[in-house]
Amino acid sequence: QFPFGRRLPCDIYWHGVSFHDNNIFSGQVNKFPGMTEMVRKITLSRAVRTMQDLFPLEYNFYPRSWILPEEFPLFVAEVRMMKDSDPSWKPTFIVKPDGGCQGDGIYLIKDPSDIRLTGSIQSRPAVVQEYICKPLLVDKLKFDIRLYVLLKSLDPLEIYIAKDGLSRFCTEPYQEPTLKNLHQVFMHLTNYSLNIHSGNFIHSDNVNTGSKRTFSSILCRLSSRGADVKKLWSDIISLVIKTIIALTPELKVYYQSDIPAGKPGPTCFQILGFDILLMKNLKPMLLEVNANPSMRIEHEQELSPGVFENVPSPVDEEVKVAVIRDTLRLVDPQKKKRKDIQQNIDSCKNEVNVRHNYFMCSRCQTLEPVSGAKEELLEAGRAERADQDATKGAEPGLPSLCLKQVFPKYAKQFNYLRLVDRVAALFIRFLGVKGTTKLGPTAFRTFIRNCKLSNSNFSMASVDILYIDITRRWNSMGIDHKESGMCLQAFVEAFFCLAQKKFKSLPLHEQVASLIDFCEYHLAALDEKRLVCGRG
Ligand code: ADP
């Protein structure tokens, strides 16, 4: 620990709160630049909404949300419209201040007019969200799940999920929201920090009972009731991967700004806390992502009024110790070195064998010609081995890993969703000056020109108007005043506009994919031309 500042370079830097030290030039840091900003309630809602615009069905695991104050009129109008079309719809909404945590400032409402717009809403923006009225109950209580996820690398994307998590219980039996019970936090909010103050809170040494239990104990219970627990896990894995896919484009912009490519810098990894609510029909819904989840393995116990003592919490210990231990095993610098060396050897071998279209038969140790099927087998074998290495862990005497790799393991199923990642790659290419996160008007013009997007129907004057309109609106939302120019979300909006203009009759995600292909094609051609000119 370096409470007064650090002098020596380290292999692993374990920061308490965020990535904040720009004087690290090597090693690995346990936080990504920009992650804290990315998982704030408003930013997360925006990032998920962009994905919902592209892939509404795939992203229906996040409740419909509006951002306050700017979307208040939209919220009122949409709710009115939905009520008109379905008079039996009696919704409840939950208002959550941006950047809040531990249930701070959260309240439920039945009607948009109940929002406390008085004074502070301008200074404290919030998200208002459809309230999930029919959660799954255990022992008549509402509960949520905290799952730990390791984002081991952003590029290439590597995600691990802990096999066990925590279930945090309310302390009053649940009833569907009515005007009478809306304010009962112990019934509606599952936050540990709130429920601990309820007289009904049960500390338990047993992972199967009490107000905080392991998620695996809930799964056992569900399984004994005949629930399809395998499907539930696969839905949870899919929710986690899709959420991270929504976050990566902006994270990459932050990353290149703090750790520019080509300059010495550390690599990053991060443990995230996913808060998930199960609906009565077992559908998992994302509540929020925590960039700095509590890793405490003790809880406070009130010995006598006002006198507290920290006592070990076996449930926290069982789940969290495994997460930290496995994270350290996966990012072990020695292991990384060994892996790099092995990869170099492998790539040399592959290069030699693939170049000659042969592969080494493992049974007879002879070189055999590679057919399509054998290539696939080889690839599958490689993936399998990588997965086994990652999940079993080679270290003798240590328990097997609780962190399970889910990406790139399931990459094939999810890669089609990574469209905004490719838009972000275009954005980053045109950012120009290292260390910035916003695009200037000239850079935007260069993007349009290099990608051949301007024509007689879309003049450069219209390009400037598009840039000014969208940039001004995003900057007026007061997200980041430090830099002027077009942020990634504004660029994404402009890109969607251009895609709709160019490929009119397709669904949005196909329009966007087509425009990305079009831009990438022209940029590749330009790069080739430059390369040839350079050689010449
Ligand atoms: P905080 O960061 O303050 O904990 P959360 O978004 O996690 O904010 O919300 C706090 C609690 O409110 C959650 O743990 C959950 O019990 C409840 N909650 C949040 N959003 C919803 C929702 N859309 N539907 C039902 N319950 C919710």
Side-chain angles (χ1 to χ4, degrees):
Q1 293 194 352
F2 294 97
F4 306 112
R6 175 182 50 80
R7 272 162 287 133
L8 297 169
C10 307
D11 286 328
I12 296 180
Y13 299 83
W14 199 275
H15 287 179
V17 181
S18 61
F19 182 96
H20 55 269
D21 187 343
N22 283 330
N23 290 320
I24 298 177
F25 302 107
S26 63
Q28 301 177 76
V29 184
N30 72 328
K31 303 282 175 193
F32 280 92
M35 185 66 90
T36 313
E37 288 79 357
M38 273 317 297
V39 299
R40 285 173 75 99
K41 294 183 170 62
I42 288 186
T43 341
L44 176 71
S45 300
R46 277 211 176 98
V48 174
R49 180 163 331 146
T50 303
M51 295 307 292
Q52 286 173 331
D53 288 344
L54 289 169
F55 302 103
L57 288 181
E58 286 88 339
Y59 278 82
N60 66 5
F61 58 82
Y62 190 66
R64 204 182 336 223
S65 306
W66 296 265
I67 289 151
L68 301 178
E70 77 223 29
E71 290 180 354
F72 184 66
L74 186 72
F75 170 49
V76 174
E78 288 193 356
V79 171
R80 188 174 305 142
M81 211 173 66
M82 287 187 279
K83 277 187 175 168
D84 285 349
S85 67
D86 177 9
S88 67
W89 188 53
K90 300 268 179 289
T92 303
F93 302 97
I94 182 164
V95 185
K96 314 186 202 180
D98 188 41
C101 60
Q102 306 191 327
D104 175 34
I106 290 182
Y107 59 96
L108 304 189
I109 54 168
K110 279 291 202 185
D111 191 85
S113 61
D114 299 334
I115 284 196
R116 296 171 202 158
L117 276 168
T118 44
S120 67
I121 194 86
Q122 285 295 343
S123 54
R124 197 165 188 200
V127 166
V128 58
Q129 200 170 68
E130 235 180 292
Y131 186 73
I132 298 154
C133 293
K134 294 187 193 301
L136 178 74
L137 305 182
V138 166
D139 299 336
K140 299 196 174 122
L141 299 168
K142 175 174 170 177
F143 67 97
D144 76 352
I145 309 159
R146 158 60 59 85
L147 272 189
Y148 296 93
V149 170
L150 170 68
L151 179 56
K152 185 167 173 275
S153 152
L154 195 55
D155 205 1
L157 188 57
E158 275 184 68
I159 308 169
Y160 289 76
I161 301 186
K163 285 182 195 155
D164 204 356
L166 297 169
S167 306
R168 299 161 309 178
F169 279 73
C170 278
T171 40
E172 288 279 340
Y174 183 77
Q175 289 165 10
E176 284 195 29
T178 61
L179 280 176
K180 272 198 185 145
N181 69 30
L182 278 188
H183 60 280
Q184 295 195 26
V185 287
F186 297 150
M187 177 186 289
H188 291 293
L189 307 187
T190 49
N191 299 77
Y192 166 78
S193 51
L194 294 174
N195 284 281
I196 185 105
H197 298 295
S198 151
N200 295 339
F201 192 93
I202 304 168
H203 287 294
S204 167
D205 284 354
N206 186 328
V207 290
N208 303 307
T209 58
S211 299
K212 201 193 261 186
R213 311 181 195 176
T214 57
F215 179 43
S216 52
S217 75
I218 304 288
L219 287 176
C220 274
R221 221 139 131 198
L222 293 177
S223 171
S224 68
R225 286 190 210 162
D228 187 349
V229 172
K230 258 196 177 158
K231 157 110 177 37
L232 173 58
W233 252 120
S234 115
D235 288 348
I236 289 177
I237 289 173
S238 151
L239 175 153
V240 167
I241 295 177
K242 287 173 185 171
T243 305
I244 291 187
I245 286 179
L247 297 175
T248 51
E250 231 173 314
L251 280 176
K252 284 182 180 169
V253 174
Y254 280 110
Y255 199 93
Q256 65 77 40
S257 156
D258 271 329
I259 312 170
K263 283 199 180 162
T267 54
C268 303
F269 64 94
Q270 187 152 0
I271 297 172
L272 301 168
F274 272 66
D275 291 350
I276 293 169
L277 189 70
L278 295 185
M279 293 190 4
K280 211 173 174 177
N281 61 4
L282 285 193
K283 180 179 167 58
M285 297 292 285
L286 175 69
L287 296 177
E288 71 161 353
V289 182
N290 250 280
N292 197 18
S294 160
M295 284 297 170
R296 281 190 67 169
I297 52 169
E298 297 170 321
H299 60 76
E300 272 184 359
Q301 215 164 34
E302 197 165 13
L303 294 178
S304 53
V307 181
F308 290 90
E309 188 193 41
N310 280 335
V311 292
S313 163
V315 183
D316 287 285
E317 200 166 324
E318 178 161 331
V319 173
K320 295 175 183 174
V321 168
V323 171
I324 301 222
R325 181 197 62 214
D326 289 358
T327 299
L328 288 173
R329 282 162 80 185
L330 285 167
V331 302
D332 174 3
Q334 292 306 322
K335 195 163 155 187
K336 194 164 178 281
K337 263 182 222 157
R338 285 196 299 269
K339 201 172 147 198
D340 287 348
I341 294 171
Q342 190 57 44
Q343 261 170 2
N344 279 344
I345 297 171
D346 281 353
S347 72
C348 287
K349 273 190 204 158
N350 287 343
E351 210 175 297
V352 171
N353 294 340
V354 170
R355 208 182 301 145
H356 298 290
N357 281 339
Y358 284 87
F359 82 108
M360 184 69 82
C361 173
S362 57
R363 251 175 301 146
C364 53
Q365 296 295 307
T366 54
L367 282 177
E368 289 192 6
V370 173
S371 66
K374 275 183 181 160
E375 255 178 32
E376 261 175 35
L377 268 178
L378 274 177
E379 189 48 49
R382 252 179 250 134
E384 178 84 346
R385 244 178 295 131
D387 196 42
Q388 278 172 3
D389 289 351
T391 42
K392 278 199 188 133
E395 302 93 327
L398 279 173
S400 66
L401 285 173
C402 82
L403 288 174
K404 177 182 153 64
Q405 196 209 68
V406 293
F407 204 96
K409 186 173 180 191
Y410 301 121
K412 269 194 190 150
Q413 272 161 265
F414 294 94
N415 270 343
Y416 75 100
L417 299 171
R418 301 179 71 189
L419 286 184
V420 187
D421 248 2
R422 287 166 69 196
V423 177
L426 295 172
F427 177 79
I428 290 170
R429 175 179 168 130
F430 287 95
L431 270 181
V433 187
K434 298 240 186 301
T436 52
T437 56
K438 289 189 174 176
L439 206 64
T442 316
F444 188 69
R445 281 175 142 245
T446 314
F447 153 69
I448 296 283
R449 210 175 284 126
N450 288 4
C451 293
K452 305 220 180 304
L453 294 176
S454 171
N455 52 37
S456 52
N457 288 331
F458 187 52
S459 65
M460 284 317 269
S462 320
V463 170
D464 290 340
I465 293 171
L466 180 75
Y467 176 89
I468 292 167
D469 270 0
I470 294 184
T471 303
R472 191 180 292 154
R473 194 153 38 73
W474 275 91
N475 288 348
S476 73
M477 290 181 207
I479 299 153
D480 172 12
H481 292 299
K482 273 178 273 158
E483 273 181 65
S484 64
M486 184 181 239
C487 60
L488 175 69
Q489 301 97 321
F491 182 78
V492 169
E493 187 183 325
F495 198 89
F496 285 14
C497 267
L498 295 169
Q500 281 164 323
K501 229 188 244 257
K502 201 167 171 63
F503 301 98
K504 285 195 180 74
S505 55
L506 302 173
L508 181 65
H509 68 95
E510 284 182 32
Q511 292 172 333
V512 171
S514 304
L515 188 63
I516 296 171
D517 288 343
F518 185 86
C519 294
E520 286 175 350
Y521 170 80
H522 283 292
L523 293 174
L526 191 71
D527 287 344
E528 199 156 309
K529 206 161 129 191
R530 283 184 184 154
L531 201 71
V532 172
C533 288
R535 275 202 207 118

